Amino acid sequence: MEDRLIENQTVFYSKAEHYWKEVSPTVDGMLGGYGSISSIDINGSKKFLQKFLGEGPGKTGTGCALDCGAGIGRITKRLLLPLFRTVDLVDVTQEFLDKARTYLGEEAKRVENYFCCGLQDFQPQPERYDVIWIQWVIGHLTDDHLVEFLRRCRSGLRPDGLIVVKDNVAYEGVILDDVDSSVCRDLNVLHRLVARAGLNIICEEQQKNFPEEIYQVHTIALR
């Protein structure tokens, strides 16, 4: 679908890397100037995620989570570390991961790995994670790379583990953002890619109370 928009895959990825290298390693930088929505975002994510966590048949464990496109660790700090024993971070920008070590404060000791890698090349360790959280980053992957990444994530899950994708959703089709070199897909396109990856949608919700001028944001639980 995005093939007509992305003429050169190498340029698509390198432009995004360059864009993020110029971004300030702050919460406001991570959120494109919308740092004020961080608490609304985290609270919505926590409410969504806690429905699945616990002990017993079908419940998702709280041992280890992976934060994909983690940046400075905003989600790790406020969502994942309070709910999981350990967390791994993966991001393409080394400066953000370096900042995360101080931004996370005392709780950084429960971060086991900081992986500097693009998700198109990242290989999660098999059966390591209870939850793989992927927020505001899938637009930086081509369709094929997103499908392949989701397949690798599936193999990285522990029993009853969960993949959560939270991202902007276009109203129709696929929209290219030439500034940060990303695409925004509509729900139909996203659902087709999830199905191609062999995953099922367990739950899907729209994030409420975000500013009207930004894209609608959906949270999707997969396994």
Side-chain angles (χ1 to χ4, degrees):
M1 182 72 184
E2 95 293 328
D3 291 349
R4 297 192 306 275
L5 300 173
I6 301 171
E7 294 178 9
N8 185 313
Q9 193 169 282
T10 306
V11 171
F12 176 70
Y13 286 119
S14 63
K15 271 184 71 176
E17 280 196 47
H18 180 75
Y19 170 84
W20 287 106
K21 279 190 170 72
E22 301 300 312
V23 168
S24 170
T26 62
V27 169
D28 211 45
M30 299 302 96
L31 293 175
Y34 282 92
S36 59
I37 70 171
S38 186
S39 289
I40 298 169
D41 168 59
I42 294 292
N43 290 338
S45 296
K46 190 169 290 186
K47 194 174 174 185
F48 181 89
L49 186 54
Q50 284 180 318
K51 291 185 290 194
F52 305 100
L53 303 181
E55 297 177 5
K59 287 290 189 179
T60 297
T62 56
C64 187
L66 173 66
D67 186 355
C68 298
I72 64 169
R74 180 187 72 91
I75 293 166
T76 289
K77 181 172 186 168
R78 298 195 54 198
L79 175 70
L80 300 178
L81 280 172
L83 295 175
F84 295 87
R85 283 192 296 279
T86 63
V87 179
D88 289 348
L89 284 71
V90 56
D91 197 274
V92 75
T93 307
Q94 185 63 52
E95 184 189 2
F96 295 165
L97 295 173
D98 293 342
K99 175 70 174 181
R101 295 171 190 270
T102 53
Y103 172 73
L104 295 173
E106 180 67 18
E107 294 301 304
K109 65 179 182 290
R110 294 194 290 116
V111 173
E112 294 196 340
N113 295 288
Y114 297 85
F115 299 110
C116 187
C117 185
L119 298 185
Q120 69 274 18
D121 299 315
F122 184 66
Q123 178 72 56
Q125 183 181 322
E127 296 186 21
R128 174 169 172 80
Y129 301 107
D130 292 296
V131 166
I132 296 178
W133 192 272
I134 310 167
Q135 182 164 348
W136 280 323
V137 69
I138 62 169
H140 285 300
L141 296 175
T142 65
D143 285 358
D144 287 346
H145 282 165
L146 175 54
V147 169
E148 291 163 10
F149 175 62
L150 288 173
R151 286 175 181 155
R152 295 195 299 274
C153 285
R154 185 179 57 178
S155 71
L157 292 179
R158 291 175 175 169
D160 296 315
L162 208 60
I163 298 166
V164 181
V165 174
K166 185 170 186 178
D167 220 303
N168 298 339
V169 171
Y171 286 100
E172 186 177 5
V174 180
I175 300 164
L176 176 67
D177 184 334
D178 210 35
V179 176
D180 70 355
S181 194
S182 68
V183 294
C184 183
R185 304 169 172 95
D186 71 22
L187 275 179
N188 287 334
V189 173
L190 188 51
H191 289 171
R192 284 201 299 271
L193 297 176
V194 164
R196 271 181 58 194
L199 290 159
N200 295 310
I201 296 172
I202 307 301
C203 182
E204 182 174 331
E205 291 180 4
Q206 183 175 345
Q207 171 71 50
K208 304 297 185 190
N209 302 318
F210 271 3
E212 287 183 9
E213 70 269 19
I214 67 173
Y215 283 114
Q216 57 179 336
V217 172
H218 283 244
T219 312
I220 307 173
L222 312 167
R223 61 163 60 118

